[in-house]
Structures are given as C-alpha cells and as structure tokens.
Amino acid sequence: MSQQVKGVIARAKGAPVEVTTVVVPDPGPLEAVVRIQACGVCHTDLHYRDGGINDDFPFLLGHEAAGIVETVGDRVTDLAPGDFVVLNWRAVCGTCRACRKGKPWYCFNTHNAGQPMTLVDGTVLSPALGIGAFVEKTLVHAGQCTKVDPAARPAAVGLLGCGVMAGIGAAINTGGVTRGDSIAVIGCGGVGDGAIVGATLAGATTIIAIDTDDQKLDWARNFGATHTVNARDADVVAAVRELTGGNGADVVIDAVGRPETYKQGFYARDLAGTLVLVGVPTPEMTIELPLLDVFGRGGALKSSWYGDCLPTRDFPMLTELYRQGRIDLDAFVTEEIRLDEIEAAFDKMHTGGVLRSVVIF
Ligand SMILES: NC(=O)c1ccc[n+]([C@@H]2O[C@H](COP(=O)([O-])OP(=O)(O)OC[C@H]3O[C@@H](n4cnc5c(N)ncnc54)[C@H](O)[C@@H]3O)[C@@H](O)[C@H]2O)c1
Ligand SMILES: [Zn+2]
C-alpha cells in the first residue's frame, strides 16, 4: 500500500517551493522507506530550485537527513525497521568500474526506484541527489541508509549526509590535508566550516577562513580557523600569502564555486599546492587562466564530489567523534524550522545570520 505524506517540491525553475502531498510507494527489492526526523537546508537544494543542476522538474527537495527505517523491501539484509540512519547519496554498488577498481568513492550509480515517488496525479518526482528528504517519509535504496549511534541528535548527524561530510572530506580525503599544513577555505557556510573541522582533525596548523560575512567568520573561528579574512575588504590572494609567510596555502578549498573564488584559490596556493573545488558551479560559468600559470604553479587541481566519502566508513566514525565532543555538529544547526519555512531558509542563505536551517518533522 502506498502512503500519502507531506513534502516540499520545486515545481518549476525559480518558482518558490511548495508543500504538497507526495505518494510514497512500498519499498521494492533492496529498498527502504525511511521516516525522516530532520533534514538540513543545503545550498544545493537552492541550486535545484533555480535550475542550476538540471531540468528534471518537479524535484522533491532535501537530501541532508536522518530518520528511522519504517519498512524494508525484499533482499534487504542489513537494515531493519526501527534502525536510526543517516541518508547518503552514494549507495556504493560494488559492481561498477570505480568499485571494481577499488575506488568506491567514485561510484556514481544512482538509485532508480522500481516504483518512483509521485504527486497525487501520478507526476513522477525527481528526488534531489537521489534522496528527496523534505518529506515525512521517503523511499531510498537500502544502501543509502547508514546506521549510526541512535543516541545522536538527528538534526546534527543528518548534516553528515551532505554539507558537513562534503566539507570534512574535501579537506581530508580530496585535499589530503595533514599535520602541519596550511589551508585556506573560501566560503564558510556548512560546507566550508566542514572543511575547517576536517583540517582541524587532520592537524593543520594554519587554517584561514574567508567569507564576505563577518558573522560567518566568527563561527568559522569557533570551528577552528586560526585566521579570518573578509573578502569584501581584502585582497584574498595577498591576505593568504601574508598569513602563510609569503608562500600561499598548501591546500585551498573553494566552497563557493564561482569563477572569481576559483581564481583566488588557484593563486592563493603555494607552488605545487592543491586546489579543491567543492562548491558547485552553474552551467553558464566558465573560467580563463593563463596556461603558463597552470603549468608553472604545478600542484593539483581537484574537484570533490561528496568529499570522496564512504558513508559506511565515515558516518559512524564522525558520529562517534561528535559523541566524544571532538567535533561540534550541534554548532552547525542555527535554527530548527518547519517544512513550510524552507523558502525563508533559502532567503537567509543570501541575507546571512544562519549557518544551517534544519527542518524538524
Ligand atoms: N561537492 C559536493 O559534494 C557538495 C556538497 C554540498 C554542497 N555543495 C556546494 O557547496 C557550496 C556551499 O554550500 P553551503 O551549503 O555551504 O552554502 P552556504 O550558502 O551555506 O555557504 C556559502 C558561503 O559562501 C559565502 N560566500 C559567497 N560568496 C563569496 C565570495 N565571493 N567570497 C567568499 N565567500 C563567499 C557566503 O557568505 C556563505 O557563507 C554550494 O555551491 C553547494 O551547492 C557541494
Ligand atoms: Zn547538499
């Protein structure tokens, strides 16, 4: 028996999101229905609403979530009703080329539900990042459910499902930040502050937070930034050089994803340094760089999808560090909101004052 629940969709490019009724089918083989307890509002949801990801409207938004497994389909062996899980957008398939090469963090097999979630009139919904979690219950692949310590606060550990994990992983997994490194993070939202947390865990000694909003910079300091730069009143490249003994940073993380921030990151690196792009550009953005500088500065230009994470490895580990008080996931949650307040949360991404708004069910 399918169920009808409340969810938030983006019906058309740029149009305000709306709360509507979503039909959730019973789980098919290898699938699960999860009752969502909390879901963070990530900038990527806004990209979806604005048509910046693709045109597969209507989208069922939300993808940074924790909840309780309600039912499982056939052939699901390691998940049971009642399990507390963080949802992930990478159900590692084990059979694609990346998995067979031993690099499952590049597995990009997305889940195509046997029977998709729809609107009441039968219109098929595209779940954001293959999840769709601004909804009371959602249908996912069982491999998208990672069990974590049920004592953890859903609003906090749900953020491991996207932004915070993407940031931590961009620093540690993609950027390879290690003890004694200098790192600069451009854009200190949920993702950028995740990168700062990752750099702290890895033992970086100089952690430079860069944003255009002083409030964000204050929060970045609380997460472990040793220096802050307001990009509105400073030359970012010169400031990073000055704070790193004239060298530039070993690793720069661009957690904004615009041509101008990418260029700043490119030149703010030390020679042979690493630039990691984790912010998501939009389709019309392009970049021009002197090829001689690309050659002459050496190093690595990398992109980070989901922080090159492995949910089965990383979610329980980070939940444990949170439980021990070694990473402060609660500090990412600025406000808890209702399902009908997501549009307002998008506005606050531009007006500031909020690191993460988290929808509580
Ligand atoms: N690669 C991935 O796997 C992944 C995962 C999640 C999110 N993202 C992307 O990461 C980006 C950040 O997401 P978020 O949720 O942290 O967003 P956010 O809106 O919470 O934070 C963005 C921050 O960048 C700052 N900023 C904007 N323009 C700036 C500039 N020119 N210089 C310095 N700072 C600037 C803003 O003040 C804000 O603090 C988005 O593009 C999002 O789509 C990528
Ligand atoms: Zn996200």
Side-chain angles (χ1 to χ4, degrees):
M1 273 292 286
S2 63
Q3 310 184 57
Q4 298 202 353
V5 297
K6 290 275 165 250
V8 164
I9 64 161
R11 199 180 285 275
K13 188 171 176 165
V17 299
E18 47 184 286
V19 179
T20 188
T21 302
V22 174
V23 180
V24 182
D26 280 344
L30 299 176
E31 292 178 340
V33 168
V34 177
R35 182 167 58 76
I36 303 298
Q37 293 176 298
C39 182
V41 184
C42 174
H43 209 116
T44 303
D45 293 305
L46 182 55
H47 285 320
Y48 270 108
R49 189 205 74 173
D50 290 343
I53 306 282
N54 61 50
D55 283 328
D56 298 337
F57 289 93
F59 293 106
L60 176 61
L61 298 179
H63 58 274
E64 211 175 61
I68 306 277
V69 174
E70 186 183 74
T71 42
V72 296
D74 290 344
R75 300 188 358 241
V76 174
T77 50
D78 50 359
L79 204 62
D83 284 343
F84 178 57
V85 295
V86 173
L87 299 183
N88 72 75
W89 32 282
R90 177 175 293 150
V92 169
C93 74
T95 55
C96 71
R97 182 162 180 264
C99 285
R100 283 188 284 109
K101 284 194 336 186
K103 295 188 173 175
W105 48 90
Y106 293 138
C107 173
F108 251 66
N109 260 1
T110 42
H111 171 230
N112 288 312
Q115 245 193 305
M117 290 182 281
T118 64
L119 297 176
V120 175
D121 67 3
T123 305
V124 173
L125 291 167
S126 306
L129 287 163
I131 296 181
F134 288 150
V135 63
E136 291 163 321
K137 295 175 187 182
T138 193
L139 173 72
V140 290
H141 190 282
Q144 289 179 277
C145 301
T146 308
K147 284 185 265 188
V148 300
D149 184 345
R153 177 184 170 204
V157 289
L159 303 184
L160 294 174
C162 184
V164 175
M165 181 70 251
I168 293 177
I172 297 182
N173 298 332
T174 316
V177 173
T178 186
R179 57 194 184 279
D181 272 355
S182 55
I183 165 169
V185 177
I186 307 176
C188 300
V191 176
D193 283 345
I196 290 170
V197 167
T200 309
L201 286 174
T205 43
T206 301
I207 302 174
I208 305 166
I210 300 151
D211 204 290
T212 47
D213 175 346
D214 282 327
Q215 161 100 80
K216 294 286 175 75
L217 293 173
D218 284 345
W219 284 330
R221 215 174 254 284
N222 292 339
F223 284 112
T226 57
H227 303 80
T228 56
V229 174
N230 189 320
R232 278 199 204 287
D233 10 274
D235 175 334
V236 168
V237 175
V240 172
R241 288 248 173 89
E242 197 187 315
L243 293 167
T244 51
N247 299 310
D250 293 308
V251 180
V252 181
I253 311 279
D254 177 359
V256 179
R258 300 187 54 82
E260 58 272 25
T261 51
Y262 192 81
K263 247 184 198 173
Q264 288 166 348
F266 179 86
Y267 287 108
R269 289 174 305 154
D270 193 3
L271 281 179
T274 299
L275 171 59
V276 178
L277 176 63
V278 62
V280 180
T282 53
E284 74 283 359
M285 291 177 181
T286 59
I287 182 142
E288 195 170 312
L289 284 167
L291 193 53
L292 187 58
D293 285 355
V294 176
F295 174 74
R297 302 188 57 77
L301 305 177
K302 301 176 104 177
S303 301
S304 187
W305 308 317
Y306 211 174
D308 291 334
C309 77
L310 271 182
T312 46
R313 175 192 65 192
D314 297 331
F315 292 3
M317 179 263 293
L318 293 169
T319 303
E320 177 60 12
L321 291 177
Y322 164 60
R323 197 191 63 75
Q324 294 175 8
R326 291 161 70 187
I327 57 177
D328 187 1
L329 294 179
D330 290 315
F332 284 89
V333 184
T334 318
E335 58 170 10
E336 296 188 346
I337 63 171
R338 297 189 315 260
L339 200 53
D340 59 3
E341 294 175 308
I342 290 169
E343 196 57 39
F346 284 155
D347 289 341
K348 290 177 198 161
M349 283 181 180
H350 300 302
T351 54
V354 169
L355 189 51
R356 268 295 188 267
S357 307
V358 180
V359 177
I360 303 294
F361 292 84

